[in-house]
Structures are given as structure tokens and as C-alpha cells.
Amino acid sequence: MNTPQISRRRLIQAMAGAPLLPLASSLASAGLLTACGNGSDSPNFVSASFSSMAAPTLATPENMATTYTTSSLVATFDDKSTRSFTLAYQPFFITGTEVSDGKGGTLIAGGYYDIHNQPIIDRSVAGSERQFFSDCPDGSSLLTVDGASVSGVKGNTVFAVVQFEYTTRNQALVSMYGLLPSPIAVLTLDQDKDTGKLSLVKYHNVDTSGVKGLWITCGASLSPWGTHLSSEEYEPDAFNQGANGSTLATLQGFSQNLFGNSSTASPYDYGHLPEVTVNKDGTASIAKHYCMGRISHELVQVMGDNRTVLMGDDATNGGLFMFVADKEKDLSSGTLYVAKYTTELNATSSASISWIKLGSATSAEIQALVAGGIQASDIMESLTTDPADSSYTKIVLSKKTLWVKVKPGMEKAAAFLETHRCAAMMGGSLSFTKMEGTTVNLKDKKAYSAISAIKDSMVTGKSGNVPALNVNFPAAINSGGVLEHTMTSGVKDSGGTAINSEWVPVSSQFIPALLGEDLATADALGNLANADKVANPDNLKFSEEMRTLFIGEDSGMHVNNFLWAYNVDSKTLSRVLSTPSGAESTGLHAVDKINGWTYVMSNFQHPGDWESPLHDIVKPTLDPLVRANYDDRFGAAVGYLTATSAQIQLSK
């Protein structure tokens, strides 16, 4: 993801639902499922791997200006035989185009709506008024609902939930970042029973008026119980001090477009975790959980107990947070923790974690505080100059030094509404920069977090880094890396109280193969990081069946951003897909089985979001191609990976 302060590589969406493997209910134990059935003498699937494709170059500029892949999926069987399938990309639609609403009418894909569910109109160019639509689709989930029935579906009914983070610009080319309420759509897809092919039947815009609209929805995940867990990142800073949040001016613009009044929106209604439940008819309902910490939610991951949630925090001076729900499959109440590293974390060390309890609450009681009109000044004091008073705690957020003190009786409000300030004050290791996607490897009890850039607060002596918090790199790795967490049971928090979870991270270390490599001098295309290594990892998703960690980039250091596949057993890293130049790889989702088929989804955003000097060499050639492909950079493709000639089948 991008921080509000930096230039944004805008979007070209591609919800890349990649039907990769038509498998039985378990790849490890079941026979292989094909359109013709599974013969008793058929070999059994053992493993899957991806061949690594070369990055596109200006020798074929058209490949740099679109979604491009020459990777293959290689399936290995227990008789030592293999089958290889060359991958391709198939779009569903381009945002801004008309799609079926399932009722005989049409909707604008990625379109924006106000609190009354009326289209929000871009009037920036007289005579060219049109509904705003997003060029930045992001988090996505692919799922099924028991008993689903939608008119027009001939095969199996499958749903995709896709959220749209923001829109880059209006028609007058003025930035619209954060000024529009983020839409979420449910796509009803017709899954061909014989081939696994997915076709769009219906597009439904989810009504978010009941949760006062959504704020900058970024990454997402699918809960184990089949709901779409969304996000609201860069929570508005209620103190307006630029501390790990967006400005109140941005909130006022958002409020004007959503409510028709710049003062209606409260900052404390945003920065929470929305959960979308899809109905049998392809509609959906939505709820916001106010008890999971008001942080820069990127995407969260629910662990194998259906209760423990590990959460990244896309911020500078951000932290690793954990929520343990009181009940399984119910995120409406629980306990919030922040990690404190007790030994030093750097590029080569394994660091131990202690967990600090911030508080326990229900969503309803925190939401009631907000509805009651609670203000930042009611909760705590946050000063930008030293009061020379030992009752205040000195903290650093977004490289800004603050002095904070919670007001009597407001500890719970501080924990859940001013989570960053509270966590820093209580000693959490708020030293990370841009902790993005989080995912889990259930078999090995490992979790993974993308650290998009290792810089600023992670570097010793730089930008507010506090050595005692034990996140200390001697020098920046601007291209970032992937952090692996080891989880276990029987853990007590820093106060000595048992944590009611068997999925608590107790140590972290960076995966050597997934550390970026900054270049001292740009290469021939302009890449500022080694193009054959991951740079600025963002979205992460793990496939249990393929034993593969998928990594999507949001890089200001690669001319094209890539989707990678890393096999955790063989330690092999493969480039699977290249997004259009200037675009970001987002919306990643690995689904091991839907009606016997396996899918990998991967969005991409804002094609042609040119940055200097990164794109100076390629822009003259690629800009007209990207504009031609994606509606003058306003459009974004939504689709999925498939095979070039026939749908992939893991049988002989």
C-alpha cells in the first residue's frame, strides 16, 4: 500500500482469479478429480511448483504495458510424472464499464455511492460529468454460500467480494485520494462444472450506509467461516498531528462526498475492521468491529482456532497487533495485544516476542462511545512539545515525537480508539515501517508479514527509532522483506496472565530469500532494486495444498511490479506474473478448493502511475500503450489466471 504522503502508483485492477488446480477435497489424501472422473489407477498429486518467467523488457514493450505471464504450473505425481500448464490472464471487466446488476439493468463497475446509495458524480470537467469509479481495486475473496441461487448461473454459484481502495484522480487530474467512500462489490460468478471457468453473471454494490461508509479499504482476507474481512487503513488522526493517520482535511473532503456535509464524519468511526457476509442471492451485509484496534489495518489473518487474529499495521512507527476473540467465528468482542520484541530483530537474527495487553472490549461498547460524541481531548493528552512533566510518556509516531497521557478512567477508550498512541505509551515495539499483508501456514504453525520497506523507524538512530524496542537495522533495505513468525500455545502476556490462544507468535525472523536488494545504481530499465528478487512486498497469501507463499509487490523500485510464488519446502522463488508498468499487485487470495478447483486471485492497481526517476527510461514508450489499454489510466481490469489452451487438470 501507499502512505498518504507519497506519490501513488495508481491502479489497474485485476482480480486475478486463477483457477489453477481442479482438485479433490484434499490434494494430499484424495484422488485427483477430473471432468471424466478419477480412475483407481490414476497417479496421485504430490506437489505443485511454478516456473519463473523473465521480467518483460522494452524489446517487447506491449508486455510491459499489460498483465503478462509466461509462467507455468508444474504438477508432480506419485509415479514421478509431471504435467505442465502455461498460465494466461483472463479479465472479467474493466472498471468504469457497465456490468449486469442481475435485475435486467446495469451498474458501473467500481462505481462510488453516497450515504443514500446514490451515484457520486465527477463534475470536474464541464460537459463530461460521469459517476466516479475506481482505478484501485484491492482486497478480494472467493467463496461459496450453501444453498446459493442466482438467476443466470448454469453451473456452480461462486461469489467474489472485491473492494476498491480509492480513485487516483478526477477527470481534471486532481488527486482524489481518500476523498471518496470506498465501495465493496459482490460478483456472482458462474463456475463451469467441467472446466472450472468463471464467468461474471451479476455485480452487486454492497450497501455500506449502515456503517457510515468505508475509509480507504486496502487488503482483505477470507475468514475460515466464509466472510470477507476488509480493512480501513491510515485512520484519520483525531488530534490532527500527522501521527500514523490521515489529516482531518482529508476526512472533511470524504465527509462532504459521503454525507453532503464536511463536518458529519467522526474520525473515530474509521480505522476499524469491516466484515462482509454474502447472502445466497449474491447480495451482502456488512458490520464494523470497533474492538480490534484502530490502526492502519492492511489485511488481517485469522488463525486455525477461529479466534486469534494477527494484524499488520501499514504505518511508520507501526506495530504487530493481535486480537483474541472471546468466541469462535465471532469478532465482536475480545482482547487486543501489541508485540514487544525482547531481543533484537534485524536481517539475520531471530527475535523473541512478549505481548502487552492493551484491553478487552466489545465492539458495541466502543461504538457507543463514538456514537456518544467522544472527542480526542476526552481520551488523552497528546502534545507536540515537551511539557517537562514526568507524568507524560514520550513516544514516536510517523517520525513525530509526542508526549502523551491518558485521562483518568479513559484507558479502554485509549486502547481501542487511540490504539497507536496507547500501544506506544505502554511499550509496544512500534518501530516497523509499512507492515502490510499477513497470512498463515497452518501446517507449520508459521505466520508471515510483509514489511514493504525497511527504513526510517526500523534503522538504528534514524527517524525516531528507539533501540530499546529492539527493531534495529544498521542500514535501510528500501526494498523490504518478508517476516516469518513462529507460533505456539501456553503463552502469558507481559503481565503474567495466560493468553487464551494456541496461535501466539513468540519469535520473528526475516526469510533470507525474500529480502529485497537495493541497487546502488539503477539498471538499464531504471529498476532501483534487483528485478530478480522481491521488492516492496505487500500482499501475502499462503496455499496450504501447494505449500506456496504468494507475494504481490507494491514497489516504487521495480519498473513493473510482480506476483511471486515462494515454495516454503524447496525454498524456490518464481516470478509468476508482471503487472502493467506503474501498477501495484494487490488483492491476492489463494483458495485451495472451491467445488474441487483451486484458484489464486491477484488484483493490480493504477497502471501508468509514473514516478521519477524510476520510470524515466520507459515512460515515453509505455505511456501511450498503457493509456490505450486502460481507458487513459482511469480503468482497471478484473479477471483471473487460467491456462493458455485448456483449463488445468491434475490428472493423466
Side-chain angles (χ1 to χ4, degrees):
M1 291 322 317
N2 304 298
T3 60
Q5 296 82 7
I6 67 174
S7 168
R8 308 183 187 288
R9 291 165 302 284
R10 325 303 172 191
L11 164 169
I12 170 172
Q13 140 99 338
M15 185 188 62
L20 293 176
L21 314 174
L23 307 176
S25 59
S26 171
L27 291 179
S29 61
L32 300 174
L33 182 67
T34 73
C36 300
N38 179 36
S40 60
D41 57 352
S42 296
N44 292 310
F45 170 81
V46 173
S47 64
S49 62
F50 293 87
S51 66
S52 188
M53 61 174 248
T57 70
L58 286 175
T60 53
E62 62 275 13
N63 294 338
M64 298 183 71
T66 189
T67 306
Y68 171 72
T69 179
T70 58
S71 176
S72 296
L73 169 71
V74 180
T76 301
F77 301 86
D78 60 3
D79 65 355
K80 308 300 183 183
S81 63
T82 62
R83 298 185 73 199
S84 180
F85 303 91
T86 301
L87 302 180
Y89 184 77
Q90 179 64 46
F92 290 132
F93 56 75
I94 303 294
T95 58
T97 59
E98 293 186 350
V99 290
S100 172
D101 66 359
K103 305 174 185 177
T106 60
L107 295 173
I108 298 298
Y112 286 87
Y113 297 87
D114 65 17
I115 198 67
H116 304 295
N117 288 306
Q118 295 302 303
I120 300 175
I121 305 302
D122 180 357
R123 306 182 189 279
S124 62
V125 176
S128 298
E129 293 81 3
R130 69 184 186 189
Q131 183 179 6
F132 272 110
F133 58 88
S134 178
D135 63 339
C136 292
D138 205 303
S140 61
S141 297
L142 197 67
L143 56 94
T144 58
V145 175
D146 289 343
S149 178
V150 179
S151 177
V153 175
K154 299 177 182 178
N156 297 316
T157 303
V158 175
F159 300 112
V161 183
V162 58
Q163 59 197 43
F164 300 86
E165 185 183 0
Y166 61 93
T167 195
T168 301
R169 60 186 76 83
N170 62 20
Q171 293 181 87
L173 306 184
V174 175
S175 173
M176 292 299 297
Y177 180 79
L179 298 177
L180 297 169
S182 295
I184 289 187
V186 177
L187 311 183
T188 298
L189 304 173
D190 187 348
Q191 183 191 51
D192 188 289
K193 294 182 178 180
D194 293 330
T195 67
K197 179 182 178 181
L198 300 172
S199 303
L200 179 66
V201 170
K202 173 184 175 181
Y203 181 106
H204 171 75
N205 184 70
V206 178
D207 180 3
T208 63
S209 61
V211 294
K212 301 185 178 181
L214 300 179
W215 172 270
I216 312 178
T217 55
C218 186
S221 64
L222 181 68
S223 74
W225 52 93
T227 58
H228 175 86
L229 300 180
S230 182
S231 57
E232 292 185 311
E233 70 174 1
Y234 309 133
E235 77 285 5
D237 182 5
F239 284 96
N240 209 29
Q241 295 173 330
N244 277 347
S246 298
T247 66
L248 293 186
T250 302
L251 178 67
Q252 289 165 0
F254 168 93
S255 182
Q256 182 65 47
N257 285 311
L258 175 59
F259 295 105
N261 186 314
S262 63
S263 62
T264 301
S266 164
Y268 289 134
D269 273 317
Y270 307 99
H272 304 288
L273 191 126
E275 182 174 15
V276 177
T277 301
V278 178
N279 302 319
K280 296 178 182 180
D281 61 355
T283 62
S285 60
I286 187 168
K288 264 187 201 179
H289 299 299
Y290 284 66
C291 56
M292 298 183 69
R294 189 170 165 270
I295 60 175
S296 189
H297 286 290
E298 171 74 15
L299 67 83
V300 307
Q301 178 64 56
V302 181
M303 300 301 156
D305 59 356
N306 292 322
R307 295 173 51 251
T308 305
V309 187
L310 197 62
M311 301 181 286
D313 182 23
D314 186 359
T316 297
N317 297 104
L320 177 64
F321 291 86
M322 178 177 66
F323 178 78
V324 180
D326 293 331
K327 300 177 182 178
E328 286 192 32
K329 304 180 182 181
D330 181 355
L331 302 179
S332 66
S333 67
T335 302
L336 180 65
Y337 301 87
V338 65
K340 177 179 174 61
Y341 284 85
T342 56
T343 59
E344 186 171 282
L345 175 68
N346 55 44
T348 58
S349 68
S350 175
S352 299
I353 298 173
S354 173
W355 288 95
I356 298 171
K357 178 181 175 180
L358 299 180
S360 298
T362 68
S363 180
E365 64 181 315
I366 303 304
Q367 188 175 8
L369 292 176
V370 179
I374 195 168
Q375 301 295 308
S377 58
D378 299 328
I379 300 172
M380 66 194 313
E381 294 185 56
S382 181
L383 308 179
T384 57
T385 57
D386 188 350
D389 182 341
S390 61
S391 67
Y392 288 79
T393 302
K394 181 181 176 181
I395 65 172
V396 180
L397 296 176
S398 292
K399 301 185 284 185
K400 295 176 174 63
T401 302
L402 303 172
W403 288 262
V404 298
K405 180 170 65 173
V406 177
K407 294 193 173 181
M410 301 303 290
E411 291 79 10
K412 182 173 290 191
F416 293 95
L417 294 177
E418 286 294 339
T419 307
H420 277 127
R421 286 176 172 85
C422 179
M425 184 184 70
M426 293 181 69
S429 291
L430 266 65
S431 295
F432 288 98
T433 51
K434 297 186 68 59
M435 180 179 285
E436 310 257 7
T438 306
T439 192
V440 64
N441 169 352
L442 294 171
K443 178 182 178 182
D444 297 337
K445 222 163 186 181
K446 303 284 188 181
Y448 308 98
S449 296
I451 310 297
S452 186
I454 298 168
K455 62 180 183 180
D456 294 337
S457 57
M458 295 183 72
V459 178
T460 303
K462 299 286 187 180
S463 304
N465 174 271
V466 182
L469 300 182
N470 287 317
V471 181
N472 301 310
F473 280 69
I477 304 175
N478 291 300
S479 47
V482 175
L483 194 59
E484 179 184 84
H485 312 286
T486 299
M487 299 180 291
T488 190
S489 59
V491 179
K492 295 181 179 180
D493 66 24
S494 59
T497 302
I499 298 175
N500 188 18
S501 171
E502 298 182 351
W503 296 83
V504 179
V506 291
S507 65
S508 303
Q509 64 181 16
F510 280 90
I511 300 174
L514 301 181
L515 276 172
E517 180 185 335
D518 301 353
L519 298 179
T521 304
D523 68 13
L525 280 179
N527 288 301
L528 303 173
N530 188 335
D532 292 325
K533 293 186 177 182
V534 173
N536 309 112
D538 188 319
N539 278 221
L540 296 181
K541 287 292 163 62
F542 187 76
S543 167
E544 294 286 338
E545 305 293 357
M546 289 186 279
R547 300 283 294 161
T548 295
L549 178 64
F550 292 96
I551 306 155
E553 294 181 339
D554 173 14
S555 180
M557 304 182 75
H558 279 171
V559 172
N560 287 84
N561 277 206
F562 306 120
L563 174 64
W564 301 86
Y566 176 71
N567 187 288
V568 297
D569 296 322
S570 68
K571 314 299 183 187
T572 301
L573 179 66
S574 304
R575 185 182 1 246
V576 174
L577 178 143
S578 172
T579 66
S581 187
E584 168 190 346
S585 177
T586 66
L588 187 59
H589 185 208
V591 187
D592 282 332
K593 46 187 174 291
I594 286 190
N595 299 318
W597 302 81
T598 296
Y599 296 85
V600 175
M601 307 180 70
S602 175
N603 300 349
F604 60 98
Q605 298 186 344
H606 50 66
D609 188 12
W610 308 120
E611 296 187 351
S612 183
L614 176 66
H615 296 110
D616 289 353
I617 294 171
V618 302
K619 179 181 176 181
T621 300
L622 299 184
D623 185 60
L625 298 176
V626 170
R627 289 178 182 272
N629 286 341
Y630 302 109
D631 191 15
D632 204 23
R633 301 190 303 163
F634 284 101
V638 177
Y640 67 98
L641 284 167
T642 183
T644 53
S645 56
Q647 198 69 31
I648 299 162
Q649 296 185 347
L650 293 185
S651 65
K652 300 232 356 161

